[in-house]
C-alpha cells in the first residue's frame, strides 16, 4: 500500500563515529572527553558508552572521564540506537579508541649543605639539590632571599651573608609531571661568631719522662663555654679521649700530644700541644758496656758529682720538667747547679757507648 511504499523509500542506516580530546595519549591526571558524531539517528537517538566492554557513562553524545579514571590500554566505544521511523538496522557500533595512559608524577626537590647551615666566616658552603621525578633534562633556578642567582645546575655556593635564605626551584621535564615545577624548602645560612679559645696542655709529672712512665695530660682552657675535648697523638685522634685529661704510659720519644678544644660554636676551636722527651732508663747507677756511672748527692745543694770508670767522651744535659734544656756540657765529673732554683730537674747522660740514660735530680 501507500504507507509501505513510503517506508521503503525513506529507510535509513544509523551511523556513529567517536573521537577523543585531547588525544588518545594522555596522562593519568588528565580529564578526557569522548565525543560521538552520528548520522541518521532520528529525533531521539540513544547512546551507550563502553569501557573495556563494560557499560559506562550516560545516554549522551559525550562521555567525560575524570582524572584517574583511565588506565593504559583501556578501550572505548559507543553504540548508537537510532530513532528514525524506518531504520534498516536499529543500532550501530562506533570505531574503537585504545587509550595510551602514562602515570602522572609529582616532582620534588630538597637541598642540603655539605657542612651545615651554620658555618664559620672563612668556610665555603655548597648546597646540593636532590630531586625526584625531574625527567631527563631537569632545570634548576637558585634563589637567595627570593632573588634568582646561580646557574642551571644542581649545586650552588651562596654568598656568605648571615641570614641569607637559600632555596631552589625545579622545572621537571618528565612527560606527565603534575605540576611541572617544585620549590625546595628554604635554608637560612648562619655565620657563627668566632670566639677563639685559648688552650695550653700540661704534662704531669713532666714533658720529660722515662719509658713506660705514666703521664697525665691536662687541657687548660679559657674563653670557651662548655668546651668539648679531643686528644690527638701525632696528629691522629685518640679514640675515646674526649675528657679534659688524658693518661697514658705508652709514650715514645718525640711524641706530640695535643688537645683540640671546641666551644659552643663550630668556629670556637683551638688546640694546644706538648712534645714529649722519653728517655730509655732512670738510674742512680748504671752499667753500660762494663762502665759504672754514679750520680750523687741527690738531692743536691750546689755541685752534682758524676763518677764513671771508662768513658773519655760524652755529654751531660740538664732540663726542667717541661723539657727545656738549661745546662749542656761535655761529659765530666761534676755539674754546677748553684745558679738554679730549687725544684726537680732531669739529667741526661750519654756515655762513650752512645747509650743515653736519665736521672731525676732534686735541687735544694
Amino acid at each position: 500500500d501507500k504507507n509501505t511504499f513510503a517506508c521503503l523509500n525513506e529507510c535509513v542506516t544509523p551511523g556513529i563515529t567517536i573521537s577523543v580530546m585531547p588525544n588518545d595519549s594522555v596522562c593519568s591526571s588528565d580529564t578526557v572527553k569522548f565525543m560521538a558524531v552520528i548520522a541518521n539517528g532520528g529525533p531521539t537517538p540513544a547512546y551507550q558508552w563502553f569501557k573495556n566492554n563494560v557499560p559506562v557513562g550516560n545516554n549522551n553524545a559525550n562521555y567525560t572521564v575524570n582524572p584517574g579514571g583511565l588506565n593504559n590500554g583501556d578501550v572505548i566505544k559507543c553504540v548508537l540506537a537510532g530513532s528514525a521511523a524506518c531504520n534498516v538496522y536499529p543500532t550501530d557500533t562506533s570505531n574503537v579508541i585504545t587509550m595510551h595512559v602514562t602515570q602522572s608524577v609529582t616532582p620534588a626537590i630538597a637541598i642540603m649543605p655539605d657542612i651545615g647551615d651554620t658555618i664559620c666566616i672563612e668556610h665555603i658552603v655548597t648546597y646540593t639539590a636532590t630531586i625526584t621525578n625531574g625527567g631527563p633534562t631537569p632545570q634548576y633556578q637558585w634563589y637567595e632571599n627570593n632573588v634568582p642567582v646561580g646557574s642551571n645546575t644542581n649545586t650552588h655556593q651562596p654568598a656568605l651573608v648571615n641570614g641569607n635564605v637559600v632555596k631552589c626551584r625545579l622545572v621537571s621535564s618528565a612527560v606527565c609531571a603534575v605540576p611541572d615545577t617544585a620549590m625546595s624548602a628554604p635554608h637560612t645560612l648562619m655565620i657563627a661568631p668566632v670566639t677563639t679559645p685559648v688552650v695550653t696542655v700540661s704534662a704531669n709529672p713532666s714533658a720529660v719522662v722515662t719509658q713506660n712512665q705514666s703521664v697525665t695530660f691536662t687541657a687548660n682552657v679559657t674563653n670557651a663555654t662548655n668546651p668539648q675535648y679531643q686528644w690527638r697523638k701525632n696528629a691522629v685522634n685518640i679514640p675515646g679521649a674526649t675528657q679534659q685529661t688524658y693518661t697514658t704510659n705508652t709514650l715514645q720519644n718525640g711524641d706530640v700530644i695535643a688537645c683540640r678544644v671546641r666551644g659552643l660554636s663550630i668556629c670556637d676551636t683551638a688546640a694546644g700541644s706538648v712534645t714529649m722527651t722519653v728517655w730509655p732508663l732512670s738510674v742512680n747507677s748504671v752499667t753500660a758496656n762494663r762502665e759504672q756511672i754514679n750520680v750523687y748527692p741527690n738531692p743536691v745543694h750546689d755541685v752534682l758529682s758524676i763518677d764513671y770508670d771508662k768513658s773519655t767522651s760524652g755529654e751531660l744535659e740538664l732540663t726542667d720538667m717541661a723539657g727545656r734544656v738549661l745546662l749542656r756540657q761535655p761529659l765530666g765529673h761534676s755539674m754546677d747547679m748553684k745558679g738554679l732554683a730549687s725544684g726537680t730537674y732531669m739529667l741526661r747522660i750519654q756515655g762513650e757507648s752512645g747509650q743515653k740514660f736519665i736521672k731525676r735530680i732534686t735541687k735544694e
Side-chain angles (χ1 to χ4, degrees):
D1 60 17
K2 181 178 180 180
N3 288 336
T4 301
F5 177 81
C7 181
L8 290 172
N9 282 276
E10 296 175 4
C11 285
V12 294
T13 300
I16 181 171
T17 302
I18 64 172
S19 61
V20 59
M21 288 184 58
N23 52 59
D24 60 1
S25 295
V26 297
C27 300
S28 62
S29 58
D30 289 341
T31 297
V32 182
K33 184 177 182 180
F34 298 91
M35 298 161 290
V37 176
I38 65 172
N40 302 319
T44 57
Y47 303 86
Q48 179 58 66
W49 292 91
F50 291 87
K51 181 172 72 172
N52 302 326
N53 293 319
V54 176
V56 293
N58 300 314
N59 180 17
N60 196 290
N62 298 323
Y63 167 50
T64 300
V65 182
N66 292 324
L70 289 174
N71 294 314
N72 190 47
D74 280 350
V75 176
I76 306 297
K77 65 182 180 180
C78 186
V79 174
L80 167 67
S83 64
C86 185
N87 284 323
V88 176
Y89 300 104
T91 63
D92 186 39
T93 299
S94 73
N95 56 303
V96 170
I97 297 178
T98 300
M99 296 303 298
H100 306 281
V101 181
T102 300
Q103 191 66 34
S104 296
V105 295
T106 301
I109 180 171
I111 62 174
M112 288 297 294
D114 57 347
I115 58 175
D117 291 317
T118 301
I119 64 171
C120 306
I121 188 61
E122 69 272 16
H123 291 168
I124 295 177
V125 59
T126 299
Y127 285 86
T128 300
T130 301
I131 65 173
T132 54
N133 301 321
T137 56
Q139 297 181 29
Y140 303 88
Q141 178 59 67
W142 292 89
Y143 294 86
E144 293 180 28
N145 299 323
N146 294 320
V147 177
V149 294
S151 58
N152 180 21
T153 178
N154 68 329
T155 60
H156 177 61
Q157 292 178 345
L160 299 182
V161 178
N162 191 51
N164 199 1
V165 178
V166 182
K167 60 184 178 181
C168 187
R169 179 174 177 264
L170 165 68
V171 179
S172 174
S173 64
V175 174
C176 287
V178 181
D180 62 353
T181 63
M183 184 70 79
S184 73
H187 283 243
T188 301
L189 185 64
M190 302 299 295
I191 308 299
V194 177
T195 305
T196 305
V198 177
V199 184
T200 58
V201 174
S202 60
N204 185 22
S206 78
V208 181
V209 294
T210 58
Q211 284 183 342
N212 303 321
Q213 185 175 353
S214 180
V215 181
T216 297
F217 299 91
T218 302
N220 304 293
V221 183
T222 58
N223 203 29
T225 303
N226 297 325
Q228 302 174 37
Y229 304 90
Q230 177 59 65
W231 289 94
R232 297 163 64 85
K233 180 179 180 181
N234 301 326
V236 178
N237 286 350
I238 302 172
T242 56
Q243 302 300 315
Q244 186 178 7
T245 61
Y246 166 65
T247 301
T248 181
N249 64 352
T250 61
L251 295 168
Q252 300 296 320
N253 190 49
D255 280 348
V256 178
I257 304 297
C259 187
R260 188 172 185 270
V261 178
R262 173 179 166 180
L264 286 178
S265 164
I266 61 170
C267 306
D268 300 346
T269 303
S273 66
V274 60
T275 300
M276 298 300 297
T277 299
V278 181
W279 286 338
L281 188 63
S282 177
V283 295
N284 278 332
S285 176
V286 298
T287 299
N289 295 335
R290 299 180 180 178
E291 179 175 18
Q292 187 76 18
I293 301 176
N294 296 302
V295 179
Y296 63 93
N298 192 9
V300 60
H301 182 69
D302 292 320
V303 179
L304 183 69
S305 296
I306 303 110
D307 287 347
Y308 49 90
D309 61 4
K310 184 177 179 181
S311 289
T312 60
S313 63
E315 185 179 63
L316 300 176
E317 185 179 84
L318 189 73
T319 69
D320 62 14
M321 299 308 287
R324 293 185 292 266
V325 177
L326 303 177
L327 296 172
R328 181 182 287 120
Q329 66 184 54
L331 181 64
H333 290 283
S334 65
M335 176 174 281
D336 189 349
M337 300 179 62
K338 289 195 295 292
L340 299 176
S342 298
T344 302
Y345 300 88
M346 303 298 288
L347 176 65
R348 181 178 65 86
I349 306 170
Q350 181 172 330
E352 191 175 63
S353 65
Q355 190 170 3
K356 298 177 182 179
F357 306 96
I358 184 174
K359 175 60 185 173
R360 186 189 301 267
I361 304 297
T362 301
K363 171 69 165 58
E364 294 180 331

